[in-house]
Amino acid sequence: MSIKENIYNLIKKYQKIIIHRHARPDMDAIGSQYGLALTLETNFPEKEIYVVGDTNEMVYLSKMDEISDDYYQNALAIICDVSVSRMVSDERYKLASDRIIIDHHQNDTDIEDVSIFYKDPSFASASEMIVDFIKTFKLRVTPEAATYLYGGMVTDTGRFLYLNNASKTFELAA
């Protein structure tokens, strides 16, 4: 079974999913986090999907959820665009039953008890990784989710100037 299939199966398993990203977010952190959340809400309307973290001017129109610690009981935490514990916005991910990291950076993780660490530096952004995941499972994407994911790709590639694999990036951006 592929790593993406394992991620998909954990998403299907949990009723509550809480999505994190790094502190002081850039548009890729927001784009991957919020784009994933909107896509999961569209495709799994019966699930409770939350996004948490600090805010700044990069959050665009997204709204972070204010949830108490007890929401993490029997929940899946997905951490986007970061794999270093000190950089994760909201350390309550530690309270979740399972943890997934989706990150395009080259460094390894120091986050403990990670169920799935999906690291692939061949992608130029975490948003790209989310779009690839969405395409793999033929999930529906709303225009709002696409806007966040595209924004993450545009900013982490420097407006498509810095690409790891141009043909893959442009295919996913399309």
Side-chain angles (χ1 to χ4, degrees), residues 70-124:
D70 63 322
Y71 279 72
Y72 285 86
Q73 186 173 11
N74 300 315
L76 170 65
I78 301 175
I79 303 167
C80 297
D81 198 32
V82 64
S83 60
V84 180
S85 60
R86 67 178 168 73
M87 295 177 68
V88 178
S89 183
D90 195 331
E91 65 180 25
R92 294 181 298 164
Y93 67 86
K94 298 172 186 174
L95 303 174
S97 298
D98 276 301
R99 286 167 282 294
I100 296 172
I101 297 172
I102 301 173
D103 191 19
H104 69 106
H105 298 102
Q106 293 186 12
N107 53 287
D108 286 325
T109 186
D110 66 347
I111 295 173
E112 296 179 5
D113 299 322
V114 173
S115 304
I116 301 172
F117 180 30
Y118 180 27
K119 171 180 97 168
D120 191 340
S122 74
F123 289 96

Side-chain angles (χ1 to χ4, degrees), residues 19-150:
I19 307 173
H20 294 251
R21 39 86 185 147
H22 62 73
R24 297 180 309 283
D26 58 11
M27 194 57 212
D28 186 34
I30 293 295
S32 60
Q33 176 193 37
Y34 212 67
L36 176 60
L38 293 170
T39 301
L40 294 179
E41 288 173 356
T42 298
N43 290 275
F44 302 99
E46 72 286 357
K47 295 187 180 295
E48 300 172 51
I49 312 293
Y50 303 99
V51 290
V52 296
D54 60 319
T55 60
N56 61 21
E57 67 279 354
M58 298 305 287
V59 299
Y60 187 51
L61 300 175
S62 67
K63 302 272 189 256
M64 297 297 110
D65 294 307
E66 305 242 348
I67 58 174
S68 62
D69 292 357
D70 63 322
Y71 279 72
Y72 285 86
Q73 186 173 11
N74 300 315
L76 170 65
I78 301 175
I79 303 167
C80 297
D81 198 32
V82 64
S83 60
V84 180
S85 60
R86 67 178 168 73
M87 295 177 68
V88 178
S89 183
D90 195 331
E91 65 180 25
R92 294 181 298 164
Y93 67 86
K94 298 172 186 174
L95 303 174
S97 298
D98 276 301
R99 286 167 282 294
I100 296 172
I101 297 172
I102 301 173
D103 191 19
H104 69 106
H105 298 102
Q106 293 186 12
N107 53 287
D108 286 325
T109 186
D110 66 347
I111 295 173
E112 296 179 5
D113 299 322
V114 173
S115 304
I116 301 172
F117 180 30
Y118 180 27
K119 171 180 97 168
D120 191 340
S122 74
F123 289 96
S125 66
S127 293
E128 234 181 290
M129 294 178 76
I130 299 298
V131 172
D132 180 65
F133 177 82
I134 289 167
K135 285 185 67 166
T136 298
F137 297 100
K138 297 176 176 46
L139 301 176
R140 286 170 293 147
V141 179
T142 64
E144 184 182 15
T147 298
Y148 280 97
L149 293 163
Y150 183 74

